[in-house]
Amino acid sequence: EAGVTQFPSHSVIEKGQTVTLRCDPISGHDNLYWYRRVMGKEIKFLLHFVKESKQDESGMPNNRFLAERTGGTYSTLKVQPAELEDSGVYFCASSHDSLAGNEQYFGPGTRLTVT
Amino acid sequence: QKEVEQDPGPLSVPEGAIVSLNCTYSNSAFQYFMWYRQYSRKGPELLMYTYSSGNKEDGRFTAQVDKSSKYISLFIRDSQPSDSATYLCVAGYSSASKIIFGSGTRLSIRP
């Protein structure tokens, strides 16, 4: 069984540019999560999809971030325009159930550097 | 105040030693407590899972939760070089799927 995959693995962009990160969850997992870790800080929740619907987007930092999951399969996270403080590692995770405490399977992350 | 606090380390111990990793949390609403392990350039992977207070053992690993003191521990017996990784203390709510991470403790096992 393939794990959670993320693309690209690393992205370097200039301030003001747009970047789109992609996440492919484990097949059959309806629940998809985005997290990020900025330098020196802990991994923080961004949002949670159940199929194509946003269940919880309380962690999204501002309206420069747009997450989509059309068709309930893969998801994209767009940052537009990127700012220096957006640099960090963006993780995607998926799970079969949305029950509290369920195991979330993480991808390897996308390392975003904004210069 | 961070909701889950961990000593970032690094912690270095010789192979075969018993390792004790600890964290504290501030939110009484947390009901689920997990330890994730993260190797360099990889995503976190679930290592141990505990609901409410109590102990859980899995092979060389034991997780303890004391809700009265809001204290979470992970013990690793007979530590191996392959245990070298960052260990993330994680807590979750009974009413939501999102999980809250500590900053992680970097552990190194010396052969």
Side-chain angles (χ1 to χ4, degrees), chain B residues 20-102:
Chain B
S20 173
L21 302 173
N22 307 292
C23 73
T24 59
Y25 65 94
S26 58
N27 193 335
S28 299
F30 289 141
Q31 292 288 333
Y32 296 88
F33 304 93
M34 294 152 276
W35 286 93
Y36 275 75
R37 178 175 60 192
Q38 185 178 18
Y39 292 109
S40 182
R41 303 291 179 173
K42 301 287 187 182
E45 57 178 350
L46 182 66
L47 185 64
M48 296 287 287
Y49 164 97
T50 309
Y51 174 72
S52 194
S53 283
N55 295 359
K56 187 169 185 178
E57 187 173 321
D58 184 1
R60 297 184 294 110
F61 298 88
T62 299
Q64 290 183 350
V65 177
D66 183 346
K67 291 195 73 180
S68 64
S69 60
K70 295 188 177 69
Y71 199 80
I72 306 164
S73 301
L74 177 71
F75 299 95
I76 306 174
R77 291 181 298 281
D78 187 25
S79 56
Q80 304 295 311
S82 58
D83 296 329
S84 298
T86 296
Y87 288 79
L88 301 159
C89 180
V90 181
Y93 305 93
S94 60
S95 57
S97 294
K98 73 176 181 182
I99 51 179
I100 309 301
F101 284 82

Side-chain angles (χ1 to χ4, degrees), chain A residues 31 33 35 37 40-45 48 56 58 91 97-108 111, chain B residues 2 4 32 34 36 38 41-46 49 86 88 93-104:
Chain A
N31 295 272
Y33 312 81
Y35 294 84
R37 183 172 195 157
K41 301 283 189 179
E42 64 275 16
I43 296 172
K44 284 196 170 179
F45 169 84
H48 169 208
D56 181 354
S58 61
F91 292 102
D97 295 315
S98 60
L99 298 172
N102 69 95
E103 180 171 2
Q104 297 182 20
Y105 297 84
F106 282 77
R111 186 173 298 273
Chain B
K2 292 180 182 178
V4 179
Y32 296 88
M34 294 152 276
Y36 275 75
Q38 185 178 18
R41 303 291 179 173
K42 301 287 187 182
E45 57 178 350
L46 182 66
Y49 164 97
T86 296
L88 301 159
Y93 305 93
S94 60
S95 57
S97 294
K98 73 176 181 182
I99 51 179
I100 309 301
F101 284 82
S103 55

